[in-house]
Amino acid sequence: MTAEAASAPTAGPDAPPPGPPPDRGPRAHGGTAYLRYAAGKAAGAVVSLLAVLVTGFFLFRLIPGDPVKFMTGGRPVSAQQLAAYRREFGLDLPMWQQFTDYCGKALTGDLGTSYQFRAPVIDKITEALPNTLLLTGTAFVLYSALGIVLGTRSAWRHGSIGDRLNTGLALTLYSVPSFWLGLLLIIVFAVGAGPVPGLFPTGGMESGGEEGLAHAVDVAHHLVLPVLTLIAVQYGETLLVTRSALLDEMGSDYLTTARAKGLRDDLVRRRHAVPNALLPTVTLIFVNLGRTVAGVILVETVFSWPGLGGLFYQALSVPDLPLVQGLFFVFAAAVIVMNTLADLLYPLLDPRVGR
């Protein structure tokens, strides 16, 4: 027997099987594997963005309406004037040439010029974006926190009266159309109904004429009803996803072991069950974060909020093709980017992802 064979450990019944260790995800083999994983996700995101670019160009050309006639304001104009308008905005070019020009400019960051505002599309988007982020960002933080907290409590006390009430209310509000709920809140709390006086503005972002702290209070006053609408409609989704994921974890052996060691029930939930159940909720949070950039078109329209959603609705009525296409691309890009970031974060939260 050689020295090497003599020094080798003897295989016993508890010895691991021969062969390479199992693959435990992109982190298992160091940074290189994770970089390959990230590169694949980034490539998929780029392909998705290109598909959105192509889809947006052809999709909105199916909308009925002539933007050139809108630009004339209904005034009687000659055929020469109509031809001049079409030539100015490139509408006289063949469709394939319009498409190649649009894609070429979009890849350089030029989303065209708005028909109705006669301004670069990117400038109009930049102007309206902060208003949308203020509205939907505020609502996003509140309904995400509310959904996670209530979803966790409902799952941990599943079957209780509180769980049934929380789940029933979440399902009801989640199924309510946002525009209908917004109109109802305007009727009750803005116009006033019965003994309830009108407490909030019916729409807009500010009353005007205010500065400093008074202006901030005025904007917050206008925020209440649209934010309340978004919270009521959206928090139920987070609650239901969190509750379902935590219920799946509650039967796991490691929770039984933690309880057997004498850990308090609240500690078991907070330190062990909830962190392991949050992966589906992280997905939802990132998707909703992408939607935050897109805003909520119907809610912004109902409350006359000067954000991207209201701008999109206004552009559709023309149709203002460059503005509609630009907004559609920004909306889709926000969701794609947030989904990609969630995919890149998964292996850091759970090594099993990406096996």
Side-chain angles (χ1 to χ4, degrees):
M1 177 181 295
T2 64
E4 291 81 357
S7 63
T10 305
D14 297 328
D23 185 3
R24 299 190 182 276
R27 293 195 304 167
H29 306 295
T32 304
Y34 182 78
L35 288 177
R36 286 199 300 268
Y37 171 82
K41 294 298 180 181
V46 171
V47 172
S48 298
L49 288 173
L50 293 176
V52 167
L53 198 67
V54 174
T55 302
F57 177 84
F58 292 104
L59 176 64
F60 295 110
R61 275 161 175 74
L62 301 176
I63 301 175
D66 188 350
V68 174
K69 291 183 178 179
F70 173 85
M71 286 183 279
T72 63
R75 302 185 305 272
V77 294
S78 64
Q80 290 79 8
Q81 289 174 310
L82 290 175
Y85 276 121
R86 294 184 182 279
R87 189 164 49 253
E88 178 183 355
F89 291 98
L91 295 174
D92 61 329
L93 298 175
M95 186 65 70
W96 66 267
Q97 191 170 349
Q98 293 184 42
F99 174 69
T100 54
D101 289 347
Y102 167 70
C103 291
K105 291 179 179 179
L107 293 177
T108 62
D110 182 2
L111 297 177
T113 302
S114 169
Y115 295 159
Q116 55 184 324
F117 297 107
R118 303 298 179 91
V121 168
I122 194 67
D123 289 350
K124 299 303 297 182
I125 293 175
T126 304
E127 178 184 330
L129 180 59
N131 300 337
T132 288
L133 292 180
L134 176 62
L135 171 61
T136 55
T138 303
F140 166 78
V141 172
L142 294 176
Y143 73 66
S144 295
L146 186 65
I148 291 174
V149 170
L150 293 181
T152 300
R153 290 186 175 276
S154 290
W156 208 251
R157 299 181 178 132
H158 66 284
S160 66
I161 296 177
D163 175 36
R164 290 197 292 268
L165 288 176
N166 275 335
T167 306
L169 183 61
L171 286 170
T172 301
L173 292 176
Y174 184 56
S175 62
V176 171
S178 58
F179 72 91
W180 181 85
L181 183 59
L183 290 173
L184 186 63
L185 292 179
I186 289 176
I187 293 172
V188 176
F189 296 106
V191 178
V196 181
L199 300 174
F200 300 99
T202 57
M205 183 176 173
E206 56 187 0
S207 301
E210 305 288 351
E211 296 182 357
L213 180 60
H215 178 259
V217 172
D218 182 44
V219 172
H221 193 212
H222 285 75
L223 265 174
V224 172
L225 290 184
V227 165
L228 185 60
T229 302
L230 291 176
I231 291 174
V233 173
Q234 296 290 341
Y235 95 96
E237 184 179 16
T238 307
L239 183 151
L240 295 171
V241 170
T242 303
R243 179 181 181 275
S244 176
L246 187 53
L247 284 176
D248 289 341
E249 287 291 327
M250 285 175 59
S252 301
D253 293 337
Y254 70 90
L255 295 183
T256 304
T257 303
R259 290 191 186 95
K261 288 181 178 180
L263 294 180
R264 298 194 315 272
D265 204 49
D266 181 65
L267 199 62
V268 172
R269 180 184 70 217
R270 190 172 64 252
R271 288 191 180 178
H272 297 279
V274 173
N276 286 303
L278 280 182
L279 195 60
T281 308
V282 168
T283 307
L284 182 62
I285 287 175
F286 271 89
V287 171
N288 286 337
L289 193 58
R291 293 175 185 167
T292 298
V293 178
V296 181
I297 297 173
L298 293 177
V299 172
E300 289 193 0
T301 302
V302 166
F303 288 96
S304 302
W305 191 265
L308 294 180
L311 189 63
F312 186 76
Y313 179 82
Q314 187 178 354
L316 275 176
S317 62
V318 174
D320 189 340
L321 295 178
L323 186 54
V324 170
Q325 291 168 179
L327 287 168
F328 178 74
F329 180 76
V330 169
F331 293 166
V335 175
I336 291 171
V337 169
M338 289 300 112
N339 280 342
T340 304
L341 290 178
D343 287 338
L344 297 179
L345 183 62
Y346 284 167
L348 305 178
L349 298 176
D350 188 346
R352 295 172 297 177
V353 176
R355 283 187 179 182

